[in-house]
Amino acid sequence: MPEGKIIKALSGFYYVANEDGVVQCRGRGVFRKNKVTPLVGDEVVFQAENDTEGYILEVKNRKNELVRPPIANVDQAILVFSAVEPDFSTALLDRFLVLVEYNQIEPLICITKMDLTNEEQKSRLEEYAEDYRKAGYEVILTSSETSEGLEKLKPHIEGKISVFAGQSGVGKSSLLNAIRPDLELKTDDISSHLGRGKHTTRHVELITINNGLVADTPGFSSLEFTEIEAEELNSCFPDIAEISEDCKFRGCLHMAEPKCAVKAAVESEALPEYRYSHYKDFLLEIKDRKPRY
């Protein structure tokens, strides 16, 4: 039986690519019975009725999967945040980073619209970028208008499945159009009434860019920690996880425990205060979460 990768899911059809082209497939009823939903990014076994139509028979094991956007087997998440319009938010970035780390997906931070910044804003953003680099993250400052940073970004896309994710209106589609102009992805300006971008991407689809596959995903701003337990949050902050090895107590949550290396690192400014502040906020959010039955 032929095998391939789902590159698009739309209206109950799954578009499976292999070396012979793309076949439009439906899922067999066995998936509904077993509560398996094929996702974009899945490696599948399919049966072709003819050159263009067929049925998915089997979904191979996934190395990871995301719920929003619904996609599987992602190599990296390119987290796109604008410098301005909307303003750069470390709290929202840290929320994205935690979810990406939890799903064991390699993150890359991309700050867009650098051409719209003044000197003071640019300097502040470069400081933030340096903080995140020290935490172990790759950070690239870009502009779709001036092409700043695009040549640095391209090699990271090659040979990987990447998700471009971030808040609405930050310029994800504009960035992809700048890298591959023939895409002509639809973009919208910021809604002046809402102060945020209008949703322009309606479905998940893998697009070939720079010898890699990129998912242009719907922008979203609500990210909840529904799966993460309090004890797991530490490992979703690599900088905090590294420092916590010197905490006196194993399993230290860095709140009220004595001889906590993380709190000491904040006091000595070895760890940015805002990173620790977000960690505490997220921890309380997880602890206050209603139990699921």
Side-chain angles (χ1 to χ4, degrees), residues 169-188:
V170 296
K172 296 187 295 295
S173 297
S174 297
L175 198 61
L176 290 170
N177 284 339
I179 295 170
R180 191 184 138 188
D182 64 304
L183 278 178
E184 297 180 351
L185 293 173
K186 190 170 182 289
T187 62
D188 264 355

Side-chain angles (χ1 to χ4, degrees), residues 82-88 111-129 141:
S82 57
V84 292
E85 296 180 19
D87 289 340
F88 181 70
I111 302 175
T112 62
K113 303 186 186 179
M114 289 301 292
D115 58 295
L116 300 181
T117 58
N118 59 36
E119 284 305 312
E120 186 183 338
Q121 290 167 327
K122 190 172 185 179
S123 174
R124 188 79 187 103
L125 285 160
E126 284 169 350
E127 285 175 20
Y128 280 134
L141 308 180

Side-chain angles (χ1 to χ4, degrees), residues 91-265:
L92 192 56
L93 173 56
D94 283 346
R95 189 171 281 270
F96 269 89
L97 285 169
V98 164
L99 290 166
V100 168
E101 293 279 1
Y102 180 75
N103 285 285
Q104 298 182 313
I105 296 169
E106 185 77 24
L108 186 154
I109 300 166
C110 178
I111 302 175
T112 62
K113 303 186 186 179
M114 289 301 292
D115 58 295
L116 300 181
T117 58
N118 59 36
E119 284 305 312
E120 186 183 338
Q121 290 167 327
K122 190 172 185 179
S123 174
R124 188 79 187 103
L125 285 160
E126 284 169 350
E127 285 175 20
Y128 280 134
E130 203 48 46
D131 285 345
Y132 282 98
R133 288 183 187 119
K134 284 176 184 170
Y137 294 111
E138 183 78 39
V139 184
I140 300 175
L141 308 180
T142 68
S143 164
S144 303
E145 292 298 315
T146 67
S147 299
E148 177 187 347
L150 297 189
E151 290 307 313
K152 285 185 182 175
L153 183 58
K154 284 179 183 177
H156 291 281
I157 296 172
E158 202 165 330
K160 296 177 182 173
I161 293 183
S162 304
V163 168
F164 269 59
Q167 202 179 6
S168 299
V170 296
K172 296 187 295 295
S173 297
S174 297
L175 198 61
L176 290 170
N177 284 339
I179 295 170
R180 191 184 138 188
D182 64 304
L183 278 178
E184 297 180 351
L185 293 173
K186 190 170 182 289
T187 62
D188 264 355
D189 294 329
I190 301 287
S191 161
S192 55
H193 176 64
L194 295 171
R196 55 192 168 92
K198 302 171 208 165
H199 291 254
T200 51
T201 316
R202 300 294 173 195
H203 64 274
V204 179
E205 179 176 357
L206 289 174
I207 306 161
T208 303
I209 294 180
N210 218 55
N211 298 319
L213 291 170
V214 170
D216 181 27
T217 63
F220 47 89
S221 52
S222 172
L223 303 107
E224 295 176 358
F225 304 127
T226 52
E227 306 291 329
I228 303 171
E229 300 301 331
E231 299 74 24
E232 297 173 309
L233 184 62
N234 183 77
S235 64
C236 297
F237 281 80
D239 43 355
I240 290 177
E242 186 179 346
I243 295 165
S244 70
E245 291 176 13
D246 293 327
C247 288
K248 183 177 181 183
F249 297 103
R250 274 191 73 180
C252 179
L253 291 178
H254 325 306
M255 297 294 272
E257 299 91 338
K259 297 192 176 173
C260 169
V262 172
K263 285 191 286 186

